[in-house]
Amino acid sequence: MTTPAWDAEYDVVVVGAGAGGMAAALTAKIEGCSVLLVEKTDRVGGSTAVSGGAVWAPLNAQSARVGHPDTFEKAWTYMRNTVGDAAPAGMQQAFLRQGAGMVDYFEKNTAVRLVARSYSPDYYPDRDGAALGGRSLDPAMFDGRELGPKFKELRDPLPEFMVLGGMMITMTDAKHLLAVTRSFTSWREGVKLVLRYFSDRLRGYHRGTRVVLGNALAARLFKSVIDRGIPYWLDTPLQKLHLVDGAVAGVALLHEGKATNVKARRGVVVATGGFPWSEALRGEQYPQPTGPWSMSPQDNRGEGIALARDAGAVMGQGHTNPAFWAPVSILERADGTVVRYPHLVWDRAKPGLMAVNGAGRRFVNESTSYHEFVRGMYRSHETVPTLPAYLVCDHDFMEKWGMGLALPGGRPRDHLLKAGYLHKAETLRALGDALGIDGAALEASAARFNAQAEQGRDDDFGKGSTEYNRYLGDAEHAPNACLGALRKAPFYAVKVYAGDIGTAVGIACNEQAQALDAAGRPIPGLYMAGNDMHSVMGGEYPAPGITLGPALTFGWIAGRQLAQAAVNNDRSTSGHP
């Protein structure tokens, strides 16, 4: 193809300012490349900024320090027992062998700080090779004031991860806030949180500057991008990958309203967040039925993947699931806006919540991972309507834990009832009838569920039977931290749909993060990261953080590969060996 007229030149162009993209940009810059980072939206952070922020990185240096020494053999055994052949073995091994180095590299060279969890079971703790902690890390809390006026350029977290209109909280924070009247420690922590938040708002910040979860990871990466002087262009969508002599030589962008061609002397990294909001690609890749139920930013429409395919790259194969699933409840407001709530780790595992299908019968272990929960929905839907499914609880559960957007502690819920998000009835039979399911069957399901709660053992689906289940349950509830009866009226229900937190299907790549063509050959100059890369987990979900761990790792690998290409080129042109 003819070489375009270049408007600007860099060694590396990175498309997408999420974890994978910023990791690649930072690494290439640190290793000596000139780098341009472009983002099609007006905010930095992508899916990372609205995520829970966990990073799965087995073998990291902190594992032993938090009481969970790890080995490659143990981690590899777990990968084989969860991912198996759903992803190429070479890609899985590359992730395991490189992930710990990635953590150390960013700790040494950037503002990224990750803290290993002392107790956080892998999602299948009963399988050989599983660990009960150490492998998943959380980003350390970040002070948004360090970004100065650029704090407004960081994508805001999901409103559901904030309280009081803009204060971010973790699970630990939420527990303190719910217990402020019962514990001095919780009262003290709650007061500190609220005072800090109101101080921020009085100083003119649009939200609280105490940044946690995935927003903290995005903020720390963004701070590093700024500190390293990497130019970044917002509101700049990718239009085309320029091919010259069979290699990706640069990009066509729409920047400040003008068509702009930027040469990438070493290569381009595409990390635009996958395709959860592409109706066409969902129809091609997702099981049916599917719908607009993703928790990813709605800008993630698969343009990066589509343009990589136009350049000769192909989609990966062999995966077991096209997305990383999560049950999602949906509130449609009177003004037409839609709120989606991901039922990840707060309500489903607690004692006193039961999930049923369209026949009013249980179909899954409610405490299982969000990914497995939706897999259970699709399996059940093959014989009984289960899309949507229904989460059901009683008065006591609602007041203690809440459910989805319905908050605990007597907080207002009439607006949710009026909108049809929350359903309420004085009996389970009446609740079922109101939902359009068999009320008698729902009543019978609850009776069986209650009997099993009394004995502390779920013989049907094993709720509370694994370390991971109990980790998310109520440690103070006996005899089973996850099993409790539904007895006290009124009873409540929320519909949940087969949502996702991102796509698992992407462009096939090799261990160097290079995009592959139909013959399995790397396309010169084209690298992928994040959800644009075919998942190294093959659509399985072994543990918390298995999207961000590979995103950071393969972004780091791509950046090093591109920097090494520059070193090799410099040597060849200077006459040095």
Side-chain angles (χ1 to χ4, degrees):
M1 305 180 80
T2 58
T3 303
W6 301 113
D7 299 299
E9 293 189 20
Y10 294 85
D11 291 329
V12 176
V13 176
V14 179
V15 185
M22 286 194 282
L26 282 165
T27 305
K29 178 67 174 181
I30 291 165
E31 297 302 319
C33 296
S34 62
V35 180
L36 173 66
L37 175 65
V38 299
E39 164 62 40
K40 83 169 186 177
T41 73
D42 63 351
R43 300 288 187 96
V44 169
S47 300
T48 304
V50 299
S51 73
V55 173
W56 200 58
L59 311 175
N60 70 79
Q62 300 181 45
S63 295
R65 295 203 297 270
V66 297
H68 300 279
D70 211 354
T71 66
F72 178 84
E73 291 72 21
K74 183 179 179 181
W76 178 239
T77 295
Y78 185 64
M79 288 286 282
R80 297 309 298 163
N81 285 329
T82 51
V83 177
D85 296 326
M91 292 295 288
Q92 296 180 52
Q93 292 198 6
F95 166 65
L96 288 181
R97 294 188 186 281
Q98 299 291 332
M102 172 274 296
V103 174
D104 292 341
Y105 184 91
F106 287 122
E107 174 86 21
K108 178 180 179 181
N109 295 291
T110 75
V112 174
R113 299 290 179 269
L114 298 172
V115 181
R117 298 177 179 179
S118 59
Y119 178 54
S120 179
D122 289 335
Y123 285 171
Y124 303 92
D126 51 343
R127 299 187 187 181
D128 286 347
L132 297 182
R135 290 176 177 169
S136 292
L137 304 98
D138 291 306
M141 188 275 288
F142 180 77
D143 188 342
R145 294 172 294 193
E146 293 187 32
L147 292 175
K150 293 185 182 296
F151 182 51
K152 290 185 178 180
E153 294 181 350
L154 176 68
R155 183 184 287 273
D156 290 336
L158 294 174
E160 293 73 38
F161 288 163
M162 297 189 287
V163 297
L164 301 178
M167 183 175 79
M168 290 200 75
I169 59 171
T170 65
M171 280 183 63
T172 299
D173 297 332
K175 290 175 181 177
H176 280 310
L177 291 171
L178 289 173
V180 290
T181 61
R182 302 193 305 272
S183 161
F184 175 74
T185 299
S186 291
W187 177 85
R188 182 183 61 200
E189 294 301 316
V191 167
K192 285 166 56 179
L193 288 171
V194 172
L195 288 178
R196 164 71 184 269
Y197 172 63
F198 283 118
S199 173
D200 287 337
R201 297 307 295 265
L202 288 172
R203 292 168 185 260
Y205 289 99
H206 71 288
R207 64 179 173 96
T209 61
R210 178 183 176 270
V211 181
V212 294
L213 306 174
N215 211 245
L217 178 57
R220 289 181 172 279
L221 289 164
F222 187 27
K223 175 70 161 54
S224 304
V225 165
I226 295 168
D227 289 346
R228 289 284 176 176
I230 298 173
Y232 61 95
W233 295 354
L234 303 180
D235 291 309
T236 303
L238 175 67
Q239 304 286 292
K240 182 180 179 181
L241 296 170
H242 284 301
L243 284 169
V244 177
D245 297 328
V248 173
V251 295
L253 306 168
L254 185 62
H255 178 55
E256 296 181 344
K258 298 178 181 178
T260 304
N261 293 317
V262 180
K263 182 177 181 178
R265 290 184 287 262
R266 298 297 155 225
V268 175
V269 181
V270 178
T272 62
F275 63 87
W277 285 94
S278 167
E279 186 174 353
L281 282 172
R282 279 207 320 270
E284 174 187 315
Q285 297 287 342
Y286 277 33
Q288 297 300 317
T290 183
W293 305 324
S294 179
M295 294 307 305
S296 293
Q298 295 189 30
D299 308 290
N300 294 4
R301 297 182 179 273
E303 293 99 327
I305 288 175
L307 293 172
R309 293 172 89 175
D310 289 344
V314 297
M315 301 291 274
Q317 302 293 326
H319 50 280
T320 55
N321 293 272
F324 298 113
W325 304 121
V328 170
S329 54
I330 298 174
L331 167 65
E332 296 182 9
R333 293 193 178 116
D335 63 2
T337 58
V338 176
V339 179
R340 296 170 182 83
Y341 181 91
H343 295 259
L344 301 175
V345 297
W346 181 254
D347 50 16
R348 290 181 297 104
K350 301 299 189 293
L353 181 142
M354 179 179 71
V356 298
N357 58 23
R361 300 187 184 93
R362 290 182 70 210
F363 63 93
V364 73
N365 174 353
E366 294 87 351
S367 298
T368 194
S369 74
Y370 32 97
H371 186 69
E372 279 294 343
F373 187 95
V374 173
R375 291 176 82 169
M377 290 174 69
Y378 273 117
R379 283 193 300 268
S380 175
H381 193 72
E382 293 175 4
T383 55
V384 176
T386 315
L387 292 164
Y390 306 88
L391 305 183
V392 182
C393 72
D394 71 356
H395 168 273
D396 287 348
F397 183 97
M398 179 63 76
E399 296 309 318
K400 183 172 185 178
W401 302 110
M403 189 164 60
L405 294 171
L407 300 178
R411 290 169 175 82
R413 304 184 193 108
D414 287 346
H415 64 297
L416 299 176
L417 293 165
K418 183 177 179 181
Y421 173 87
L422 183 66
H423 301 265
K424 175 182 176 181
E426 288 302 312
T427 67
L428 285 163
R429 185 177 293 244
L431 182 64
D433 293 341
L435 293 170
I437 64 179
D438 187 334
L442 178 62
E443 197 172 54
S445 294
R448 179 169 176 80
F449 187 72
N450 291 351
Q452 294 184 129
E454 292 295 329
Q455 69 180 12
R457 187 178 69 249
D458 176 9
D459 294 323
D460 296 332
F461 297 98
K463 187 177 186 184
S465 62
T466 73
E467 196 79 13
Y468 172 70
N469 285 188
R470 295 186 289 274
Y471 166 64
L472 296 177
D474 179 1
E476 297 178 358
H477 183 84
N480 185 320
C482 302
L483 276 180
L486 289 77
R487 297 198 186 281
K488 187 175 180 180
F491 300 92
Y492 298 90
V494 169
K495 295 179 184 179
V496 291
Y497 297 83
D500 66 69
I501 57 172
T503 47
V505 179
I507 297 297
C509 294
N510 63 14
E511 291 88 340
Q512 285 75 48
Q514 295 172 295
L516 302 178
D517 65 16
R521 298 171 302 209
I523 297 172
L526 181 57
Y527 296 77
M528 312 299 294
N531 286 358
D532 283 350
M533 171 188 276
H534 194 64
S535 168
V536 69
M537 302 298 164
E540 293 293 327
Y541 214 122
I546 56 83
T547 54
L548 289 176
L552 290 167
T553 299
F554 284 100
W556 175 61
I557 289 171
R560 287 194 303 161
Q561 290 294 317
L562 288 159
Q564 188 61 42
V567 169
N568 289 340
N569 185 68
D570 290 344
R571 287 174 175 170
S572 64
T573 56
S574 65
H576 294 295

